[in-house]
Amino acid sequence: MDGQSKLLTIGQFAALHGINKKTLMWYDEIGLFKPAVINPENGYRCYNYHQSPILETILLLRELDVSIAEIQDFMNNRSAENLKHLLDEKIAELDLQLMHLQAVRKTVFNHQQNMAALLTMDLSEICIIEKEERCLVTVDIDRDVTFEKEVELITAETARYQLGRLHDASYGSMISVASLLKGNFDDYTKLFIEIPQLEQKRGLHIQPKGTYLRAFHRGGWDKLPLRYQEILSYARRQGLTLSGYSYEKGINETVIDRVEDYIIRIEIPLL
């Protein structure tokens, strides 16, 4: 007797495919996948090797969250065309899930890097770094925009770019170098949202690739102008020319309870 016709007990067939035999019993009961033979004397279900590819297809579709009703419909109308159609849909869904997971991984990695830096960084240090280009969603603001309005604007942009959770993006504020040089340290004009894996560039603010001056500020916003004065003095002493915007971002909100412990990362492009 060859391998195609040799019968396996329900226990053997279930073990072969890494499932519980109760799953096979349920599939039989709902008419989704029936045994090759039922022993008329004891009612035992038996299967053959020829049925393995069919069961593996069912198990694959279940792993892809295809409903039982959809699988039953496919089993009643099995064809290469119908299977391709099912798999095309699932590949598209998997691609979206992978994009989301990649975005979440980037967010988690950034948090992990921030926490690692917090343990070793010298907050008094001002340094020069290299940054890659980033695409930012921005919201225009001015002194007259209330906090409630800022939240409303951010919420609208979050919905527009279909962010499921706030952790899928990072947020910050922007103030122009021109304002800083004039001593207008509260002249913020934009809030930004950085969305991982954002592919489009049209209509977005491009944070340029290049050399940046980086500094940190610990404490409330009322003392931030003093830190900017230190940054401007450092740039003058070093003969550095600041350009564009200063990008501010809080990096430790998740691990503090007091505003006095809040740390803002400041990054400003250099010409």
Side-chain angles (χ1 to χ4, degrees):
M1 185 180 294
D2 62 30
Q4 289 285 337
S5 58
K6 184 177 180 181
L7 295 178
L8 299 171
T9 67
I10 188 171
Q12 291 171 325
F13 198 67
L16 179 65
H17 292 278
I19 60 175
N20 191 299
K21 66 181 182 180
K22 289 183 179 179
T23 300
L24 288 174
M25 294 170 65
W26 180 53
Y27 285 171
D28 181 18
E29 290 169 3
I30 64 176
L32 178 62
F33 183 75
K34 291 189 168 296
V37 175
I38 296 181
N39 190 312
E41 297 180 2
N42 53 28
Y44 289 172
R45 299 170 172 87
C46 295
Y47 300 81
N48 61 40
Y49 286 106
H50 177 70
Q51 293 179 283
S52 285
I54 300 173
L55 178 60
E56 282 299 324
T57 300
I58 292 172
L59 296 176
L60 171 63
L61 294 176
R62 289 297 294 148
E63 191 171 346
L64 293 173
D65 290 328
V66 179
S67 70
I68 290 295
E70 289 179 286
I71 297 175
Q72 285 178 319
D73 182 62
F74 165 71
M75 292 298 292
N76 292 331
N77 301 276
R78 270 194 299 152
S79 70
E81 181 180 0
N82 288 341
L83 182 56
K84 180 181 181 302
H85 177 70
L86 265 178
L87 296 179
D88 284 345
E89 289 182 346
K90 291 304 168 182
I91 287 173
E93 291 177 10
L94 287 172
D95 287 341
L96 289 175
Q97 292 172 16
L98 286 172
M99 288 178 60
H100 175 69
L101 287 174
Q102 288 169 349
V104 170
R105 187 192 186 283
K106 182 175 181 180
T107 300
V108 171
F109 179 77
N110 288 340
H111 284 315
Q112 185 264 351
Q113 292 293 96
N114 286 340
M115 295 306 102
L118 283 173
L119 298 174
T120 58
M121 68 171 52
D122 178 0
L123 294 178
S124 65
E125 181 184 19
I126 299 175
C127 63
I128 295 174
I129 62 165
E130 295 294 324
K131 287 182 66 70
E132 293 299 317
E133 177 184 284
R134 284 175 167 81
C135 298
L136 305 178
V137 179
T138 58
V139 171
D140 292 331
I141 60 170
D142 56 39
R143 291 188 182 93
D144 297 326
V145 175
T146 64
F147 175 74
E148 290 76 14
K149 182 62 176 178
E150 290 180 0
V151 171
E152 180 183 324
L153 292 170
I154 288 291
T155 301
E157 289 302 302
T158 299
R160 178 182 174 191
Y161 287 91
Q162 298 180 328
L163 290 175
R165 299 283 300 280
L166 291 179
H167 70 56
D168 290 339
S170 57
Y171 300 81
S173 55
M174 296 164 56
I175 183 170
S176 72
V177 168
S179 292
L180 295 176
L181 293 175
K182 293 176 183 177
N184 298 328
F185 299 113
D186 62 347
D187 191 20
Y188 291 89
T189 56
K190 295 179 185 293
L191 302 177
F192 71 78
I193 312 170
E194 183 179 352
I195 304 174
Q197 309 300 323
L198 187 61
E199 296 180 354
Q200 70 181 76
K201 292 187 177 182
R202 182 176 299 176
L204 300 180
H205 172 87
I206 305 300
Q207 183 180 4
K209 174 182 178 179
T211 306
Y212 281 68
L213 188 151
R214 172 183 283 179
F216 296 90
H217 169 69
R218 182 197 290 271
W221 284 267
D222 57 325
K223 298 295 193 301
L224 190 54
L226 295 176
R227 186 55 168 159
Y228 270 121
Q229 290 173 2
E230 294 172 356
I231 292 169
L232 294 175
S233 295
Y234 175 89
R236 284 193 295 269
R237 291 196 305 271
Q238 299 297 321
L240 303 174
T241 302
L242 309 178
S243 68
Y245 289 88
S246 173
Y247 299 86
E248 298 178 9
K249 179 183 174 183
I251 63 171
N252 68 334
E253 299 100 324
T254 58
V255 293
I256 62 169
D257 295 316
R258 305 184 312 154
V259 68
E260 292 84 358
D261 297 322
Y262 187 62
I263 297 175
I264 298 172
R265 186 185 69 202
I266 301 166
E267 295 178 341
I268 309 174
L270 298 175
L271 284 178

